[in-house]
Amino acid sequence: MGHPELQAVILACGDGARLYPLTEECPLSLLPVLNRPILQYQLDLLEEAGFHRALVIAAEETSSQVFRFLDEYSGALTLDRVVTDGSLDTADVIRQARDKITGDFVVVPGDLICEKGHLLAAMERHRRRGAALTMVLREEGLEVDKKGKLGRPRRDDEDVDFIGLTPDGRVVMKAPLLDVEEAVRVQKALLRRHTSVSIGTSLMDVGLYVLSQSVLQHLEEHRFIGSLQDELAPALVRRQFAPPLPPAPSRTDQARGRISIIAPAASLGHGAPAPVAADYYNDMINKLNIAKGAPGGVAAAGAGDGGGGVCAVVLRTAADGGGYCRQARTLAQYSGMTKDLLEAQLQAKGGGRVEGLNRKDQTLIGEGCTVGEKVTCKSSVIGRGCTIGARCKINNCVVMEGARIGEACTIQNSVICANAGVGDGCNLNDCQVGTLHAVAAGTKAKGEAFTRSI
Amino acid sequence: MAKGKAKGGGDEHQQQDDQQKVQAVLLADSFNTNFRPISYEMPKVLCPLVNTPMIDYTLELLASNGVQEVFVFCVNHAQQLSEYLSAGAWGDGMEVRCVTSTNCLSAGDALRELDQMGIVHGDPFVLIHGDVVSTVDLKAVLRAHKEAKKKDPSKIMTMCFKQAGPNSRLRPLMNDLVVGLDRDTQQVVLFNNSLSTRSASLPLEAFKDHAQIEFRSDLLDCYIDICSPEVLVQISDNFDYQDLRQHFVTNEVANVELGNKIMAHIVGPREYSARVEDLRLYHAVSRDIIRRWTYPLVPDNAVSSTSSGGSGGGGDGGSACALRAQRGYVYRHRGVTLPRSVSVGAGTVIGPDVAVGEGAVLSGCVLGAGARIGAGARVTDSYVWEGAEVGEGARVEGAVLAAGSRVGARAAVPMGCVLGAGVALGGGVALPPFTRLTCIAQRDAGADGAWGGAWGSTESGGGGGADDEAHDGGDAAAVVSDVAVVGEGGRGRLWLEAEEGEDEGWDSGSDGGGDSGGGAGAVDIGRCRSIGCHAEEAWRAQRWSSFDLDDEIAAAAAAAGDNFHQVIRDMLVTGSAEGHPIDNLLLEIKGYKFAQNRSFAECIRASTEAVLDLAGCGKPDAAAGMPLVAAVREQLQLWKTLLSRLAQNAADQVEVIMAVEQYALRPGKATPLAGVFRFILQLLYDTEVVSEEGMEQWIALRRSGPATAPEMTLFNAPQTQEFIAWLEDEEEESDDEDEDDDDDE
């Protein structure tokens, strides 16, 4: 069983700037989690979800690395490749890949590890509701933090959205926290149609979207939309309340379409725009509408609930059997992801799936590692071919492949990137050591990032 | 860790609880004017609701939930009420005590008074209005509140809500309740019952403490509150709290700093709860009682059987159980026989000693003890209280006839009418709908000489704003009958809705205007509170059917890119006002272009539009013809450097012309610009904003484009063609002429 009507797009082009210095040399998609690149998880996800093909979009700068990885891919998916400019935002990337997208499609962000259940649920809802966009939302559960306090995990303000959801899973509000001034307003017009709307910041948009093809049209129309999560999704959500457009295609569209014939250079920016299928676009907008301006709007809204609009699948906490679904946007989230998956592996029955798993120490040690005497390693992941000197203490760390750690080092809560070196007797806490960088022997540091450029 | 301690404390509490009586405060006054003029004549809570005084339903609820002591707080008609209460005995040893005060004008005053008396110390106690009909399991709510309070002492109150759609009949028309609840804890974080605001808003901080807040418009306030004594303290501390909802709840919920929490309890789907706030709800609740939604509070179940009537106003007490339920929700007193020719429709209650004449038609009405219906009369959806009479052939449809009132033969009493006690309507009089009549003399009659004269004149002295007590002796002596209204042989006068500033929310609502779907002005407040206000109900259903233009649409417009143009325009306006150099402006525009991820073409369009705006082309009263051209020329002179630097190549210059075209052809906004399009072209050419090449490209574009495009109307205009011909000649001759725009017309 496949999904002939759905295409899969993996955005392996993000620069992962917020994961610096981990992403200094390594593209975000290839960052290892339990010694497997994130991209591998994503390909597995699509395969398990029944896809036959996937479109992998890589950035120009890192495409060689990504494609080298794809060359070695041995799974069942047929992979299409697209290269884009690495500085482009997500929506721009989709716009560029637009020729390769011929139907409704699934967008998998480059930093997401997710189990197939969520994706299947989202696809199912998207189909049933005929939505323009279906997003996967993760409910942030209460967790015990380092200080033993019960609370929701901290997120950067830029990652926080106000999301309004009706009980039947319709998204009626999506506004980035930073865009909301002073107060959250809910129109009574909305509360007339949906008598109960739950609004809050505990839902997290993980960026896994199922999108209708018509959205491509919207992107074409609104070329200034740069980000799928921060601009397109809020715009589509708001669009639900706008009055329907007049049936005739708008003048701007025609003008724009025409000018491209005469003087392609005129529309600077993102290449020559394609002619606009305005009818399709308007059709989508009208389908999206839940606010018909005409009297009797309430009834119309009721009927409109079935078709179009923005829907969501909400994942409750993992305890609800939701399975895993997280993004690694920040260093903390990356470490958290490693930790979560490590724990999941440890708890998994049989445990034999991953070689080198040491239950007692809760540590995964890759192939070909040389580990010295009296090394204690706890809650850590050591990549392939690493060398760890004698009497080292490694706690809660990620050591990527080929790294060399000298003797008698104490390393905690840190990430050592591929082929990096740490001299003898170092004491590192909350540090990141960039690819190929060598930390001098005897260094003591806390909360520092070591990169080649320093 | 504190478990043991808490447990010990709990035991202590338990003991205290055992000793403590379960108390309730029942507010007998509603502190509003909805029941006037009836509430002038008798306490509102003694009005019969399906032949049982309203307060009996409330007391029954309290008694059946183990309340041991009830303080009935009354202001008006206190004497009458306390007599009624002292005559009754309530089951399970519930003690009913009357607390009277004559100077309270609001519920806030009443609770402050109670606080001072220091008689309420139940923790928690029930705070309820005397007009609540409910089957809620209060015991459970009391228990839950006690538990919650023990864990968190700041939870001082639990409000009961019932789920009901926004257009439910049980929802008062005069408020529009939106409740915000913390999804996890059911704490009330927003309480907004204002009719006038288009939206409910909550400050950002609220979302820090509450992960998910449910905004709900499907909750109905039951007016049953479980309170801890702190509530009384709060109300005493804030002497300006008048209304419990509008002031107390709204403020306490919003003032996070004070730290008091109000919780919500949503009653189960099988529990009934409603408040008889006005006559419209009186009708709705009566119907529910008759249709047994309120079981066990139903007509044949003798709600107030323990209160042996007689001395009080009700009078039907013991005999209520003699009602027999028949098919189609018809209840008939056992002792009543009806002539065969009487037609009894669904939902009719016929009390004791009722006499109905031949051929009468009864449907959906309640006839109180001793009511008389004449032969051939038609009484539908109406309430005929004790001893009222309807004459032969009269029609009463959707009205309330208070005790002892009389409708003459063949008179017509349509929808929403109210006849106060003792009012008599002469034979053949047809009242207009929603008329309220009373026998009580008008207060301050002298102040406004023509009272009762002209329909629609306002009552001059509104008074204190409560269910005012009739002034002494307002009985026979002072009554002046207005024959023009009540007809020959009639008694009573027109009661006019006092336009008091009570319903502030409402008033500001009508001032605020802008309500699409039926302006507020079309709605009569009095009608909203009356039976049969279908138009108003329809109006409510239509309310808020469209989204706010100022807000969401603006946001959608912003999403569609219009905001960009606005910003560019503002840049130009402020730039020209403050005399910024063009270079800086250009930089600013370019910066904004990049920030917004726009193309140059869009910047050009926006700037062109801005220039035209500045020239006043967009104003509806813009001058046509040459003055407009002059204005545009003036602006173009100012801005030509900016435009020509933005539009450097021919393709960009085409954008400028297209922006002008679009501006002239804006849908729905006919601008005089279309008439002078040719001159604008010339201006652009003369000021060298658009070069020859640009013109050529534009001409080629239009010539190659579809002939049906709207722009072609501009292009094909004879004047434009003239200009184009001139332009092409010009090119051939490659002459350089500095001509002004007024050479040919």
Side-chain angles (χ1 to χ4, degrees), chain A residues 170-193:
Chain A
R170 188 173 189 126
V171 182
V172 292
M173 178 174 181
K174 176 166 165 45
L177 176 72
L178 300 176
D179 286 1
V180 180
E181 284 165 20
E182 285 176 30
V184 172
R185 291 182 59 208
V186 183
Q187 290 218 17
K188 285 185 180 165
L190 174 64
L191 290 172
R192 283 251 141 190
R193 287 159 182 76

PDB file of all heavy atoms in Angstrom, chain A residues 170-193:
ATOM      1  N   ARG A 170      -9.640  21.451  14.685  1.00  0.00           N
ATOM      2  CA  ARG A 170      -9.438  22.511  13.711  1.00  0.00           C
ATOM      3  C   ARG A 170      -8.580  23.592  14.349  1.00  0.00           C
ATOM      4  O   ARG A 170      -8.819  23.990  15.480  1.00  0.00           O
ATOM      5  CB  ARG A 170     -10.766  23.093  13.306  1.00  0.00           C
ATOM      6  CG  ARG A 170     -10.623  24.067  12.159  1.00  0.00           C
ATOM      7  CD  ARG A 170     -11.985  24.504  11.670  1.00  0.00           C
ATOM      8  NE  ARG A 170     -11.814  25.249  10.470  1.00  0.00           N
ATOM      9  CZ  ARG A 170     -12.433  24.985   9.324  1.00  0.00           C
ATOM     10  NH1 ARG A 170     -13.265  23.993   9.267  1.00  0.00           N
ATOM     11  NH2 ARG A 170     -12.224  25.715   8.264  1.00  0.00           N
ATOM     12  N   VAL A 171      -7.611  24.052  13.610  1.00  0.00           N
ATOM     13  CA  VAL A 171      -6.750  25.106  14.134  1.00  0.00           C
ATOM     14  C   VAL A 171      -7.388  26.444  13.797  1.00  0.00           C
ATOM     15  O   VAL A 171      -7.594  26.747  12.621  1.00  0.00           O
ATOM     16  CB  VAL A 171      -5.340  25.027  13.522  1.00  0.00           C
ATOM     17  CG1 VAL A 171      -4.458  26.104  14.112  1.00  0.00           C
ATOM     18  CG2 VAL A 171      -4.741  23.668  13.773  1.00  0.00           C
ATOM     19  N   VAL A 172      -7.725  27.221  14.792  1.00  0.00           N
ATOM     20  CA  VAL A 172      -8.359  28.506  14.522  1.00  0.00           C
ATOM     21  C   VAL A 172      -7.456  29.672  14.912  1.00  0.00           C
ATOM     22  O   VAL A 172      -7.818  30.823  14.754  1.00  0.00           O
ATOM     23  CB  VAL A 172      -9.707  28.636  15.255  1.00  0.00           C
ATOM     24  CG1 VAL A 172     -10.719  27.677  14.666  1.00  0.00           C
ATOM     25  CG2 VAL A 172      -9.544  28.387  16.737  1.00  0.00           C
ATOM     26  N   MET A 173      -6.309  29.344  15.437  1.00  0.00           N
ATOM     27  CA  MET A 173      -5.394  30.419  15.771  1.00  0.00           C
ATOM     28  C   MET A 173      -3.991  29.845  15.756  1.00  0.00           C
ATOM     29  O   MET A 173      -3.751  28.756  16.253  1.00  0.00           O
ATOM     30  CB  MET A 173      -5.720  30.935  17.170  1.00  0.00           C
ATOM     31  CG  MET A 173      -4.795  32.011  17.641  1.00  0.00           C
ATOM     32  SD  MET A 173      -5.401  32.630  19.211  1.00  0.00           S
ATOM     33  CE  MET A 173      -4.193  33.867  19.523  1.00  0.00           C
ATOM     34  N   LYS A 174      -3.090  30.579  15.127  1.00  0.00           N
ATOM     35  CA  LYS A 174      -1.682  30.219  15.222  1.00  0.00           C
ATOM     36  C   LYS A 174      -0.917  31.511  15.088  1.00  0.00           C
ATOM     37  O   LYS A 174      -0.914  32.136  14.028  1.00  0.00           O
ATOM     38  CB  LYS A 174      -1.276  29.228  14.127  1.00  0.00           C
ATOM     39  CG  LYS A 174       0.230  28.920  14.149  1.00  0.00           C
ATOM     40  CD  LYS A 174       0.545  27.706  13.314  1.00  0.00           C
ATOM     41  CE  LYS A 174       1.994  27.496  12.959  1.00  0.00           C
ATOM     42  NZ  LYS A 174       3.033  27.639  13.916  1.00  0.00           N
ATOM     43  N   ALA A 175      -0.329  31.900  16.157  1.00  0.00           N
ATOM     44  CA  ALA A 175       0.402  33.158  16.147  1.00  0.00           C
ATOM     45  C   ALA A 175       1.681  32.970  16.939  1.00  0.00           C
ATOM     46  O   ALA A 175       1.637  32.535  18.081  1.00  0.00           O
ATOM     47  CB  ALA A 175      -0.448  34.252  16.768  1.00  0.00           C
ATOM     48  N   PRO A 176       2.816  33.265  16.323  1.00  0.00           N
ATOM     49  CA  PRO A 176       4.051  33.166  17.093  1.00  0.00           C
ATOM     50  C   PRO A 176       3.991  34.082  18.314  1.00  0.00           C
ATOM     51  O   PRO A 176       3.456  35.192  18.228  1.00  0.00           O
ATOM     52  CB  PRO A 176       5.113  33.656  16.107  1.00  0.00           C
ATOM     53  CG  PRO A 176       4.505  33.458  14.765  1.00  0.00           C
ATOM     54  CD  PRO A 176       3.036  33.642  14.941  1.00  0.00           C
ATOM     55  N   LEU A 177       4.496  33.598  19.401  1.00  0.00           N
ATOM     56  CA  LEU A 177       4.458  34.350  20.660  1.00  0.00           C
ATOM     57  C   LEU A 177       4.980  35.765  20.466  1.00  0.00           C
ATOM     58  O   LEU A 177       4.443  36.727  20.996  1.00  0.00           O
ATOM     59  CB  LEU A 177       5.311  33.622  21.704  1.00  0.00           C
ATOM     60  CG  LEU A 177       5.458  34.311  23.051  1.00  0.00           C
ATOM     61  CD1 LEU A 177       4.165  34.229  23.829  1.00  0.00           C
ATOM     62  CD2 LEU A 177       6.576  33.699  23.854  1.00  0.00           C
ATOM     63  N   LEU A 178       6.028  35.878  19.670  1.00  0.00           N
ATOM     64  CA  LEU A 178       6.663  37.178  19.518  1.00  0.00           C
ATOM     65  C   LEU A 178       5.796  38.141  18.714  1.00  0.00           C
ATOM     66  O   LEU A 178       6.026  39.337  18.711  1.00  0.00           O
ATOM     67  CB  LEU A 178       8.031  37.017  18.842  1.00  0.00           C
ATOM     68  CG  LEU A 178       9.013  36.140  19.625  1.00  0.00           C
ATOM     69  CD1 LEU A 178      10.300  35.946  18.853  1.00  0.00           C
ATOM     70  CD2 LEU A 178       9.314  36.751  20.983  1.00  0.00           C
ATOM     71  N   ASP A 179       4.816  37.618  18.012  1.00  0.00           N
ATOM     72  CA  ASP A 179       3.948  38.483  17.217  1.00  0.00           C
ATOM     73  C   ASP A 179       2.732  38.971  17.986  1.00  0.00           C
ATOM     74  O   ASP A 179       1.984  39.812  17.513  1.00  0.00           O
ATOM     75  CB  ASP A 179       3.440  37.730  15.973  1.00  0.00           C
ATOM     76  CG  ASP A 179       4.522  37.575  14.929  1.00  0.00           C
ATOM     77  OD1 ASP A 179       5.644  38.033  15.199  1.00  0.00           O
ATOM     78  OD2 ASP A 179       4.252  37.005  13.863  1.00  0.00           O
ATOM     79  N   VAL A 180       2.496  38.389  19.138  1.00  0.00           N
ATOM     80  CA  VAL A 180       1.295  38.751  19.887  1.00  0.00           C
ATOM     81  C   VAL A 180       1.641  39.869  20.856  1.00  0.00           C
ATOM     82  O   VAL A 180       2.594  39.757  21.625  1.00  0.00           O
ATOM     83  CB  VAL A 180       0.734  37.541  20.660  1.00  0.00           C
ATOM     84  CG1 VAL A 180      -0.509  37.930  21.418  1.00  0.00           C
ATOM     85  CG2 VAL A 180       0.434  36.407  19.706  1.00  0.00           C
ATOM     86  N   GLU A 181       0.868  40.918  20.778  1.00  0.00           N
ATOM     87  CA  GLU A 181       1.139  42.050  21.658  1.00  0.00           C
ATOM     88  C   GLU A 181       0.120  42.080  22.788  1.00  0.00           C
ATOM     89  O   GLU A 181      -1.081  42.066  22.556  1.00  0.00           O
ATOM     90  CB  GLU A 181       1.058  43.356  20.871  1.00  0.00           C
ATOM     91  CG  GLU A 181       2.282  43.570  20.002  1.00  0.00           C
ATOM     92  CD  GLU A 181       2.035  44.641  18.964  1.00  0.00           C
ATOM     93  OE1 GLU A 181       1.116  45.439  19.136  1.00  0.00           O
ATOM     94  OE2 GLU A 181       2.772  44.649  17.969  1.00  0.00           O
ATOM     95  N   GLU A 182       0.593  42.117  23.966  1.00  0.00           N
ATOM     96  CA  GLU A 182      -0.198  42.347  25.183  1.00  0.00           C
ATOM     97  C   GLU A 182      -1.277  41.304  25.451  1.00  0.00           C
ATOM     98  O   GLU A 182      -1.259  40.670  26.471  1.00  0.00           O
ATOM     99  CB  GLU A 182      -0.856  43.725  25.154  1.00  0.00           C
ATOM    100  CG  GLU A 182       0.155  44.814  25.428  1.00  0.00           C
ATOM    101  CD  GLU A 182      -0.469  46.184  25.316  1.00  0.00           C
ATOM    102  OE1 GLU A 182      -1.673  46.313  25.589  1.00  0.00           O
ATOM    103  OE2 GLU A 182       0.263  47.120  24.949  1.00  0.00           O
ATOM    104  N   ALA A 183      -2.217  41.165  24.520  1.00  0.00           N
ATOM    105  CA  ALA A 183      -3.347  40.316  24.863  1.00  0.00           C
ATOM    106  C   ALA A 183      -3.708  39.399  23.702  1.00  0.00           C
ATOM    107  O   ALA A 183      -3.479  39.719  22.547  1.00  0.00           O
ATOM    108  CB  ALA A 183      -4.550  41.165  25.235  1.00  0.00           C
ATOM    109  N   VAL A 184      -4.261  38.283  24.060  1.00  0.00           N
ATOM    110  CA  VAL A 184      -4.783  37.360  23.066  1.00  0.00           C
ATOM    111  C   VAL A 184      -6.265  37.648  22.924  1.00  0.00           C
ATOM    112  O   VAL A 184      -7.000  37.651  23.909  1.00  0.00           O
ATOM    113  CB  VAL A 184      -4.567  35.906  23.508  1.00  0.00           C
ATOM    114  CG1 VAL A 184      -5.278  34.949  22.579  1.00  0.00           C
ATOM    115  CG2 VAL A 184      -3.089  35.598  23.585  1.00  0.00           C
ATOM    116  N   ARG A 185      -6.683  37.937  21.716  1.00  0.00           N
ATOM    117  CA  ARG A 185      -8.091  38.267  21.513  1.00  0.00           C
ATOM    118  C   ARG A 185      -8.779  37.136  20.765  1.00  0.00           C
ATOM    119  O   ARG A 185      -8.246  36.607  19.802  1.00  0.00           O
ATOM    120  CB  ARG A 185      -8.220  39.549  20.701  1.00  0.00           C
ATOM    121  CG  ARG A 185      -7.768  40.770  21.451  1.00  0.00           C
ATOM    122  CD  ARG A 185      -7.977  42.009  20.593  1.00  0.00           C
ATOM    123  NE  ARG A 185      -9.361  42.142  20.232  1.00  0.00           N
ATOM    124  CZ  ARG A 185      -9.785  42.739  19.117  1.00  0.00           C
ATOM    125  NH1 ARG A 185      -8.939  43.219  18.276  1.00  0.00           N
ATOM    126  NH2 ARG A 185     -11.073  42.833  18.858  1.00  0.00           N
ATOM    127  N   VAL A 186      -9.957  36.809  21.240  1.00  0.00           N
ATOM    128  CA  VAL A 186     -10.743  35.790  20.558  1.00  0.00           C
ATOM    129  C   VAL A 186     -12.053  36.427  20.162  1.00  0.00           C
ATOM    130  O   VAL A 186     -12.785  36.937  21.002  1.00  0.00           O
ATOM    131  CB  VAL A 186     -11.020  34.588  21.477  1.00  0.00           C
ATOM    132  CG1 VAL A 186     -11.770  33.512  20.717  1.00  0.00           C
ATOM    133  CG2 VAL A 186      -9.730  34.040  22.029  1.00  0.00           C
ATOM    134  N   GLN A 187     -12.326  36.416  18.906  1.00  0.00           N
ATOM    135  CA  GLN A 187     -13.541  37.058  18.441  1.00  0.00           C
ATOM    136  C   GLN A 187     -14.764  36.229  18.791  1.00  0.00           C
ATOM    137  O   GLN A 187     -14.753  35.010  18.689  1.00  0.00           O
ATOM    138  CB  GLN A 187     -13.463  37.234  16.932  1.00  0.00           C
ATOM    139  CG  GLN A 187     -12.457  38.265  16.559  1.00  0.00           C
ATOM    140  CD  GLN A 187     -12.933  39.104  15.388  1.00  0.00           C
ATOM    141  OE1 GLN A 187     -14.117  39.138  15.055  1.00  0.00           O
ATOM    142  NE2 GLN A 187     -11.999  39.784  14.775  1.00  0.00           N
ATOM    143  N   LYS A 188     -15.818  36.951  19.160  1.00  0.00           N
ATOM    144  CA  LYS A 188     -17.053  36.234  19.464  1.00  0.00           C
ATOM    145  C   LYS A 188     -17.602  35.564  18.218  1.00  0.00           C
ATOM    146  O   LYS A 188     -18.282  34.554  18.300  1.00  0.00           O
ATOM    147  CB  LYS A 188     -18.062  37.200  20.050  1.00  0.00           C
ATOM    148  CG  LYS A 188     -17.710  37.555  21.479  1.00  0.00           C
ATOM    149  CD  LYS A 188     -18.750  38.413  22.128  1.00  0.00           C
ATOM    150  CE  LYS A 188     -18.319  38.728  23.550  1.00  0.00           C
ATOM    151  NZ  LYS A 188     -19.090  39.820  24.114  1.00  0.00           N
ATOM    152  N   ALA A 189     -17.289  36.143  17.086  1.00  0.00           N
ATOM    153  CA  ALA A 189     -17.731  35.515  15.837  1.00  0.00           C
ATOM    154  C   ALA A 189     -17.178  34.099  15.741  1.00  0.00           C
ATOM    155  O   ALA A 189     -17.850  33.187  15.273  1.00  0.00           O
ATOM    156  CB  ALA A 189     -17.268  36.347  14.650  1.00  0.00           C
ATOM    157  N   LEU A 190     -15.973  33.942  16.207  1.00  0.00           N
ATOM    158  CA  LEU A 190     -15.372  32.611  16.187  1.00  0.00           C
ATOM    159  C   LEU A 190     -16.036  31.710  17.219  1.00  0.00           C
ATOM    160  O   LEU A 190     -16.349  30.551  16.957  1.00  0.00           O
ATOM    161  CB  LEU A 190     -13.874  32.736  16.473  1.00  0.00           C
ATOM    162  CG  LEU A 190     -13.114  31.424  16.619  1.00  0.00           C
ATOM    163  CD1 LEU A 190     -13.138  30.657  15.311  1.00  0.00           C
ATOM    164  CD2 LEU A 190     -11.692  31.674  17.046  1.00  0.00           C
ATOM    165  N   LEU A 191     -16.273  32.274  18.394  1.00  0.00           N
ATOM    166  CA  LEU A 191     -16.866  31.473  19.467  1.00  0.00           C
ATOM    167  C   LEU A 191     -18.315  31.109  19.158  1.00  0.00           C
ATOM    168  O   LEU A 191     -18.885  30.218  19.770  1.00  0.00           O
ATOM    169  CB  LEU A 191     -16.784  32.230  20.790  1.00  0.00           C
ATOM    170  CG  LEU A 191     -15.367  32.351  21.333  1.00  0.00           C
ATOM    171  CD1 LEU A 191     -15.327  33.276  22.528  1.00  0.00           C
ATOM    172  CD2 LEU A 191     -14.814  30.994  21.700  1.00  0.00           C
ATOM    173  N   ARG A 192     -18.916  31.812  18.237  1.00  0.00           N
ATOM    174  CA  ARG A 192     -20.252  31.435  17.787  1.00  0.00           C
ATOM    175  C   ARG A 192     -20.178  30.150  16.983  1.00  0.00           C
ATOM    176  O   ARG A 192     -21.067  29.322  17.027  1.00  0.00           O
ATOM    177  CB  ARG A 192     -20.811  32.521  16.875  1.00  0.00           C
ATOM    178  CG  ARG A 192     -21.276  33.688  17.622  1.00  0.00           C
ATOM    179  CD  ARG A 192     -22.757  33.725  17.554  1.00  0.00           C
ATOM    180  NE  ARG A 192     -23.231  34.155  18.845  1.00  0.00           N
ATOM    181  CZ  ARG A 192     -24.507  34.117  19.186  1.00  0.00           C
ATOM    182  NH1 ARG A 192     -25.398  33.670  18.357  1.00  0.00           N
ATOM    183  NH2 ARG A 192     -24.870  34.504  20.372  1.00  0.00           N
ATOM    184  N   ARG A 193     -19.139  30.038  16.202  1.00  0.00           N
ATOM    185  CA  ARG A 193     -19.021  28.873  15.328  1.00  0.00           C
ATOM    186  C   ARG A 193     -18.429  27.682  16.065  1.00  0.00           C
ATOM    187  O   ARG A 193     -18.836  26.559  15.871  1.00  0.00           O
ATOM    188  CB  ARG A 193     -18.160  29.209  14.127  1.00  0.00           C
ATOM    189  CG  ARG A 193     -18.851  30.105  13.159  1.00  0.00           C
ATOM    190  CD  ARG A 193     -17.847  30.829  12.278  1.00  0.00           C
ATOM    191  NE  ARG A 193     -18.522  31.736  11.379  1.00  0.00           N
ATOM    192  CZ  ARG A 193     -19.016  32.903  11.737  1.00  0.00           C
ATOM    193  NH1 ARG A 193     -18.903  33.309  12.987  1.00  0.00           N
ATOM    194  NH2 ARG A 193     -19.626  33.673  10.874  1.00  0.00           N
TER     195      ARG A 193
END
